[in-house]
Amino acid sequence: MVKIVGLAGSLRPGSYSQMALADVASRVEALGAEVEILDLRSLRLPFCDGGDAYPDYPDVERLKQAVLNADGIILVTPEYHGSISGVLKNTLDLMGFEEFSGKVTGLISVLGGQSNSNALNDMRTIMRWIHAWTIPEQVAIGQAWKAFDETGRLIDESLSERLNAFAQSLVDNTQKLRGSAKQVAVA
Amino acid sequence: MVKIVGLAGSLRPGSYSQMALADVASRVEALGAEVEILDLRSLRLPFCDGGDAYPDYPDVERLKQAVLNADGIILVTPEYHGSISGVLKNTLDLMGFEEFSGKVTGLISVLGGQSNSNALNDMRTIMRWIHAWTIPEQVAIGQAWKAFDETGRLIDESLSERLNAFAQSLVDNTQKLRGSAKQVAVA
Amino acid sequence: MVKIVGLAGSLRPGSYSQMALADVASRVEALGAEVEILDLRSLRLPFCDGGDAYPDYPDVERLKQAVLNADGIILVTPEYHGSISGVLKNTLDLMGFEEFSGKVTGLISVLGGQSNSNALNDMRTIMRWIHAWTIPEQVAIGQAWKAFDETGRLIDESLSERLNAFAQSLVDNTQKLRGSAKQVAVA
Amino acid sequence: MVKIVGLAGSLRPGSYSQMALADVASRVEALGAEVEILDLRSLRLPFCDGGDAYPDYPDVERLKQAVLNADGIILVTPEYHGSISGVLKNTLDLMGFEEFSGKVTGLISVLGGQSNSNALNDMRTIMRWIHAWTIPEQVAIGQAWKAFDETGRLIDESLSERLNAFAQSLVDNTQKLRGSAKQVAVA
């Protein structure tokens, strides 16, 4: 069984990014994978200071262990200023090569305005930097304020089909790529 | 006289990014500009939750006012995972179009390993997103641990000349571009 | 008076990129600038082989002289595979620092599908690499097949207003930035 | 057995990109894969005009068939102006989703100056756009004029080890990912 961890980079109550994560997580679970959502709104994390030790913040270790033990990771970011949110980037900065190398990631962005792939592009480069795989399927959910119904499911049919393809690819390809001998980092 | 604010996205004591910012700030001041450094290590800022109000964090307002009143902004980031640090991105997320539109920015990155322009590229896209100008001169300081002498000045001659060109361009072009009628945002 | 050269990276008869270029050129001219369009469909250019001499292709020299004598450049690209067209990139490869350094550029992309800023982002990085300025205003024209009327003018009001802002910014800021002492290249 | 096609985006006689491609191809072959190099210097290809039919250029069909029948593709680009060469981008523009979807690609760039990952980043985004996988291992060969010995092999030990890791990852992961049901395109 494939183990997937999900992280969404928004702290807003009622966040659409968290909504998108919950939606896609249920699709991934329906395919037989085990999914754990780490809600950054309930973890207490520090700003990364470039070091490794955060003795006052036990949630750093909890975060790192969860990602370390996962086979794949779903990252959802609100697109802030045409890029990944600082909140999510800071969370990634607290981890690194050890947690991500050889893992399979899937990327989703959520925007208030028109859909765009800026944040997705930046995240893809970041993932490669810490030597993770990223599935070609990615989803940018534009005009998020009208994208979900009251139960938190995507309304748009074609977006919904793309989330299904995203979930299928993440599960299938995590199975295929898992257990790669971890490679030496390459810049 | 041109007013410049400097921000460096590292919280590490002894941070090379802060060192690079101090170095370039002194060069910019030597050209007659007024420079204010906002040290993120002494500001108390929250994680951005996508909202505008942070009543418990008066430093948010202080940050915003300083950037609002500036003509130009120097941004220095450590390159974490091939991109801007989460700390700096979060600081930018607390501001936006109002503070940056029409301003002139100059970008510097600091790396432990080989020089690379990933973080600079991402920052340039982010600056455009909030409708700021970015000068073509940019500097990536690689192998930062051996780049500075004990007084915090860059050792490498060619890097030092590039910081001079950076400072000159920032001051000259901020003068030229300042007072542009603020343009309507374009995505 | 400001001299602007326009280049569109599509060779298709009836190209929407060429249409967008003609449209924006007329707006730029209406602001008092001189605009020359170099239509890549009527220039005979070689593939760049990394060298400087193309004795069999006199249009290379014509292209270089036109850009060298311009104060600003409009670049329009069809977005092919999420980036600049090879045709336009090859045209840029035939030139370089000498023609572009210190010039002011404005960027437009044209897409068959949904609007996106991938090609614009790549072009912005490329422009910086050859030390040109790029105005913050940029326009991605999505679903180009329904974007223009039979006279070749943009139908959408908000896109049209953005092209006006683009033209105004290009002319105004080329005047301001022109005649900058050319800076030493910085990687 | 895995079938790999290699393409290098330089037309220069004595091209370092072609040299790098030949070097990595021999490493990939040593791992049991079948490698075909398509040398763009001996193919006669047109500039892409956005259409599908190039009756005067039979090499277009030869190119497309070779990539269509491959399981994986090695792309080597000289970094021109901080991005992919126009020559290579134009070659990719002549193909698309049909040839690349679900394939595994490996990316290498070759630079005259300091190593940088700009061209690699742009290529990675382009590959995703046409729904290909890209292995996390990538190699930027800086100061190419002193990187190879007279037999065309990389001199630098650490770069050489990275090319070995690149070759191993390309072969192993092409085997794992090959035969994925082709996914529906997602923008």
Side-chain angles (χ1 to χ4, degrees), chain A residues 104-143:
Chain A
V104 179
T105 64
L107 308 178
I108 294 172
S109 71
V110 172
L111 306 91
Q114 291 281 94
S115 146
N116 205 305
S117 43
N118 285 19
L120 295 170
N121 293 345
D122 287 358
M123 284 202 286
R124 189 172 289 268
T125 313
I126 293 164
M127 285 301 103
R128 195 221 70 87
W129 209 256
I130 46 180
H131 216 248
W133 289 86
T134 301
I135 60 172
E137 293 80 5
Q138 65 185 26
V139 185
I141 301 171
Q143 301 184 292

Side-chain angles (χ1 to χ4, degrees), chain C residues 45-50 54 57 90 94, chain D residues 11 45-48 86-87 90:
Chain C
L45 296 174
F47 285 108
C48 175
D49 65 4
Y54 297 90
Y57 292 88
N90 183 70
L94 292 168
Chain D
L11 303 181
L45 296 174
F47 285 109
C48 174
V87 168
N90 182 71

Side-chain angles (χ1 to χ4, degrees), chain D residues 2-7 34 36 38 59-75 91-92 94-105 130 174 178-180 182:
Chain D
V2 166
K3 285 166 73 175
I4 305 286
V5 161
L7 284 165
E34 184 188 320
E36 179 184 9
L38 294 173
D59 281 351
V60 173
E61 205 47 43
R62 192 182 144 208
L63 168 75
K64 291 166 87 158
Q65 280 304 320
V67 176
L68 197 61
N69 293 328
D71 304 305
I73 302 106
I74 301 168
L75 297 174
T91 305
L92 298 174
L94 292 168
M95 299 180 280
F97 198 70
E98 193 181 2
E99 289 81 10
F100 279 88
S101 180
K103 303 291 174 70
V104 179
T105 65
I130 46 179
T174 300
R178 182 171 52 172
S180 300
K182 284 201 187 159

Side-chain angles (χ1 to χ4, degrees), chain A residues 104 117 121 124-125 128-129 131-138 162 165 168-169 172-173 176-181 183-187, chain D residues 104 117 121 124-125 128-129 131-138 162 165 168-169 172-173 176-181 183-187:
Chain A
V104 179
S117 43
N121 293 345
R124 189 172 289 268
T125 313
R128 195 221 70 87
W129 209 256
H131 216 248
W133 289 86
T134 301
I135 60 172
E137 293 80 5
Q138 65 185 26
R162 285 181 49 197
Q168 189 77 56
S169 173
D172 288 352
N173 292 301
K176 288 180 187 168
L177 292 168
R178 182 171 53 172
S180 300
Q183 311 286 343
V184 178
V186 293
Chain D
V104 179
S117 43
N121 293 344
R124 188 171 290 268
T125 312
R128 195 221 70 88
W129 209 256
H131 216 249
W133 289 86
T134 301
I135 59 173
E137 293 80 6
Q138 65 185 27
R162 285 181 49 197
Q168 190 76 56
S169 173
D172 288 352
N173 292 301
K176 288 181 187 166
L177 291 168
R178 182 171 52 172
S180 300
Q183 311 286 343
V184 178
V186 293

Side-chain angles (χ1 to χ4, degrees), chain C residues 19-71:
Chain C
M19 219 175 273
L21 177 57
D23 185 342
V24 75
S26 73
R27 298 175 201 248
V28 170
E29 276 174 339
L31 297 169
E34 184 187 319
V35 183
E36 179 184 9
I37 290 180
L38 294 173
D39 191 330
L40 296 180
R41 293 172 296 189
S42 51
L43 291 179
R44 206 175 64 87
L45 296 174
F47 285 108
C48 175
D49 65 4
D52 280 330
Y54 297 90
D56 298 341
Y57 292 88
D59 281 350
V60 173
E61 205 48 42
R62 193 182 143 209
L63 168 76
K64 290 166 88 159
Q65 281 303 319
V67 176
L68 196 60
N69 294 329
D71 303 306

